[in-house]
Amino acid sequence: MMKSNLDPLKTSSYDYFLPKELIASKPLYPADSAKLLVYDRNNDTITHTTYKNLLDFLPENLNIFLNDTKVIKARIYGNKESGGKTELLFNKPLFMNRYQVMIKGKVQKGSKLFFDDNLIAEVIELNEDGTRVVKFFQNEKQLDFESLIEILNKIGHLPLPHYMNREDEKEDEKDYQTLFAKNYGAVAAPTASLHFTDELLGKLDTNHNINYLTLHVGAGTFKPVDAEDILEHPMHSEYFEVPKESLDALKQDKKTLAVGTTVTRTIEYFARTNKIQGECDLFLNPANKPIKVNHLLTNFHLPKSTLIMLIASFVGLEKTLEIYETAVKEKYRFFSYGDGMLII
């Protein structure tokens, strides 16, 4: 049943009922056999299909944008100086070879954490939002980003989202990266792109103009909105970069399909600021609608998250909840390894 008294600016309006068994913990094979819900705004119709048939629903002469970020094995397990166990989740690089991370348990400024491969993290700042700033060392040498990534990918684990309720496995190394993942920096996959097979990507490339940009998905993407009023939510920021070829495509007056919420936010941030590199902290919601992206391909998102609010920026709150209710009824699989939807 649709809730009455819905207010698109209230966080509580973005809640919905999701049976636990609809949360996907493994992907489907082949990837394009996943279900796809197509919502056509012109006719106000919902069609149920699969990713394999994606091209049947796309308008002609389309600029398609994909996120080529690559997920780091960002979760590492180690010990505190006291010998107690600890867990660190790398989030993003800051200036001067300092890094923002999340650390399980209490730490103090000056604390050192010890990991495999002689990797040491020294805590240099405690942020109010619960994140920590650290420097990393190996054999007394302070590590730059490239060297750190190399070590993390050797000793770390893929940071699968908590709702998958399991540890990462060998298969995830392939399944939790897109086919075109290129630039290391993400701690979560741009999941809308996980549905592509080589064949589907080839067809898209033949029929449309494919472009790549980079937004390194941070842990903030899973952060629930705690504020009662959505506009009071402190939006997380993530590093992005738009290469020249994609910039030229963005300047064209062609219809745009964003594959995923990360791509949407990057394009919309560029449309508002003209910036092609930096930190994107754009929060799309019914009070801040898209001005450049015409179509969106995306997964189903967590209740009360900024991502479901982004969906509402395209189709409105009531329609978002109606689509999600339909997806639950039709037993779509939800979240990172789940099924998806196309808004045309």
Side-chain angles (χ1 to χ4, degrees):
M1 281 293 291
M2 201 57 68
K3 299 182 200 169
S4 53
N5 307 324
L6 284 173
D7 180 346
L9 296 183
K10 290 276 175 279
T11 302
S12 55
S13 301
Y14 293 87
D15 203 3
Y16 66 89
F17 171 68
L18 180 67
K20 276 200 170 65
E21 64 270 17
L22 294 185
I23 298 173
S25 65
K26 295 271 175 87
L28 295 179
Y29 304 108
D32 60 4
S33 64
K35 289 203 279 194
L36 181 66
L37 182 154
V38 181
Y39 176 58
D40 184 333
R41 287 174 288 184
N42 288 333
N43 312 322
D44 189 26
T45 55
I46 288 175
T47 308
H48 302 291
T49 182
T50 64
Y51 272 82
K52 206 176 231 102
N53 303 317
L54 173 64
L55 271 85
D56 299 347
F57 296 91
L58 296 179
E60 285 175 16
N61 199 23
L62 201 57
N63 265 330
I64 298 176
F65 291 86
L66 301 166
N67 185 358
D68 65 7
T69 187
K70 198 167 187 180
V71 185
I72 303 165
K73 289 189 175 179
R75 180 171 281 132
I76 52 176
Y77 300 98
N79 297 90
K80 298 179 181 178
E81 286 170 289
S82 63
K85 285 189 166 58
T86 190
E87 178 186 325
L88 180 147
L89 178 69
F90 171 91
N91 194 9
K92 62 181 178 183
L94 305 169
F95 295 112
M96 306 289 288
N97 296 331
R98 291 149 65 250
Y99 304 93
Q100 188 194 78
V101 302
M102 293 161 99
I103 297 170
K104 244 193 187 154
K106 275 192 178 166
V107 287
Q108 292 169 329
K109 221 167 159 174
S111 294
K112 286 185 177 169
L113 309 174
F114 301 86
F115 303 94
D116 288 348
D117 223 26
N118 295 325
L119 181 68
I120 296 174
E122 184 185 337
V123 180
I124 53 175
E125 272 176 56
L126 308 175
N127 295 332
E128 278 183 24
D129 64 0
T131 60
R132 310 294 182 225
V133 179
V134 302
K135 290 177 183 172
F136 283 102
F137 298 89
Q138 188 188 46
N139 305 326
E140 294 182 19
K141 177 177 175 271
Q142 192 178 342
L143 297 172
D144 61 20
F145 185 52
E146 282 73 21
S147 312
L148 176 62
I149 295 298
E150 223 169 275
I151 297 167
L152 290 179
N153 283 333
K154 190 172 156 194
I155 69 168
H157 294 261
L158 277 171
L160 295 183
H162 61 90
Y163 46 69
M164 285 195 197
N165 233 350
R166 65 178 179 84
E167 292 297 311
D168 62 318
E169 296 164 8
K170 193 74 189 148
E171 291 80 16
D172 294 306
E173 291 185 20
K174 189 163 175 285
D175 294 337
Y176 201 59
Q177 297 282 18
T178 64
L179 292 175
F180 40 82
K182 191 172 84 169
N183 301 309
Y184 274 119
V187 300
T191 54
S193 299
L194 296 180
H195 299 289
F196 291 126
T197 56
D198 287 319
E199 189 188 355
L200 181 55
L201 209 51
K203 279 186 193 167
L204 281 175
D205 204 19
T206 305
N207 291 277
H208 298 283
N209 177 23
I210 288 188
N211 309 274
Y212 295 94
L213 44 79
T214 306
L215 180 134
H216 292 318
V217 194
T221 192
F222 300 115
K223 192 172 164 36
V225 177
D226 292 326
E228 259 181 60
D229 182 327
I230 68 169
L231 301 183
E232 286 171 14
H233 175 67
M235 189 63 181
H236 61 284
S237 74
E238 294 157 319
Y239 179 80
F240 77 97
E241 209 169 308
V242 181
K244 184 175 182 320
E245 315 80 77
S246 299
L247 181 61
D248 294 341
L250 277 178
K251 288 178 175 171
Q252 292 169 4
D253 192 22
K254 266 170 89 169
K255 291 273 193 242
T256 300
L257 168 69
V259 178
T261 56
T262 58
V263 172
T264 305
R265 289 176 55 238
T266 305
I267 293 173
E268 290 295 327
Y269 189 74
F270 165 76
R272 288 158 169 75
T273 64
N274 259 346
K275 289 182 180 169
I276 58 167
Q277 186 182 10
E279 292 281 323
C280 171
D281 62 355
L282 181 66
F283 179 17
L284 291 168
N285 58 68
N288 188 20
K289 296 178 179 179
I291 57 176
K292 173 69 180 165
V293 176
N294 311 99
H295 310 291
L296 172 63
L297 183 64
T298 186
N299 280 28
F300 292 97
H301 304 293
L302 290 161
K304 298 185 184 176
S305 63
T306 57
L307 304 181
I308 192 172
M309 293 165 189
L310 182 148
I311 305 305
S313 77
F314 278 84
V315 300
L317 170 61
E318 291 200 14
K319 185 53 69 176
T320 300
L321 293 175
E322 188 188 310
I323 290 168
Y324 271 57
E325 205 173 274
T326 303
V328 168
K329 204 169 90 190
E330 297 293 327
K331 296 198 163 26
Y332 275 68
R333 299 158 71 255
F334 276 61
F335 308 155
S336 301
Y337 274 151
D339 301 315
M341 67 183 286
L342 172 68
I343 297 171
I344 54 173

